[in-house]
Amino acid sequence: MGLLLGLGVSSTAAPKPNHDRDLSARAGVSIIPLRHEPGFAVMVDKQMPGNSVVIISNEDESYNFKDLLTKGSTAEKKYNLSKLDAGNYTLEVVTKGHDIKTNFYVYNKPQGKVIFVK
């Protein structure tokens, strides 16, 4: 894996971080697969206190789940996704200074549901 460094031209407006690729945006948020059940845990470890919210939605946004993860600076919560239908979903963690948005997929396999986080 390589590291790419670049210099850009200065502008008056700060660029918005690309949450899918900006590693600094993910620095305080971890998505950890669960071992014995279909799902993942979301862990927020940030220095500034404030609300953190987890949002799970499907492609057409007919399913939209919101959960207050924490009102403090550090939290971890497990999400069992065994009741979700197979399909494409979006996971968004909104927290001051560390917002991320990523896709995940739910597959039905003979041994049960399989969750793949991109």
Side-chain angles (χ1 to χ4, degrees):
M1 179 182 223
L3 178 64
L4 178 64
L5 297 175
L7 298 174
V9 178
S10 176
S11 70
T12 57
K16 284 187 167 183
N18 181 337
H19 297 302
D20 290 332
R21 294 191 177 97
D22 186 355
L23 295 178
S24 66
R26 292 181 178 229
V29 178
S30 300
I31 302 165
I32 306 151
L34 299 178
R35 290 185 180 193
H36 302 293
E37 55 192 281
F40 46 77
V42 175
M43 186 175 85
V44 174
D45 184 15
K46 57 184 181 166
Q47 294 180 2
M48 299 196 57
N51 291 347
S52 297
V53 177
V54 172
I55 303 167
I56 298 173
S57 57
N58 62 357
E59 267 183 319
D60 62 5
E61 296 187 12
S62 62
Y63 177 82
N64 196 2
F65 169 81
K66 291 183 182 181
D67 185 36
L68 179 64
L69 181 63
T70 179
K71 290 185 179 183
S73 58
T74 302
E76 181 178 349
K77 197 168 194 181
K78 294 178 183 178
Y79 295 92
N80 181 321
L81 306 175
S82 62
K83 303 247 187 228
L84 289 182
D85 293 331
N88 301 329
Y89 293 84
T90 300
L91 168 66
E92 193 170 358
V93 181
V94 180
T95 183
K96 189 172 185 175
H98 299 293
D99 299 354
I100 67 162
K101 186 174 186 177
T102 191
N103 295 324
F104 72 92
Y105 308 93
V106 177
Y107 299 101
N108 289 322
K109 299 283 185 173
Q111 66 273 20
K113 297 239 187 233
V114 175
I115 310 298
F116 175 73
V117 178
K118 186 175 176 182

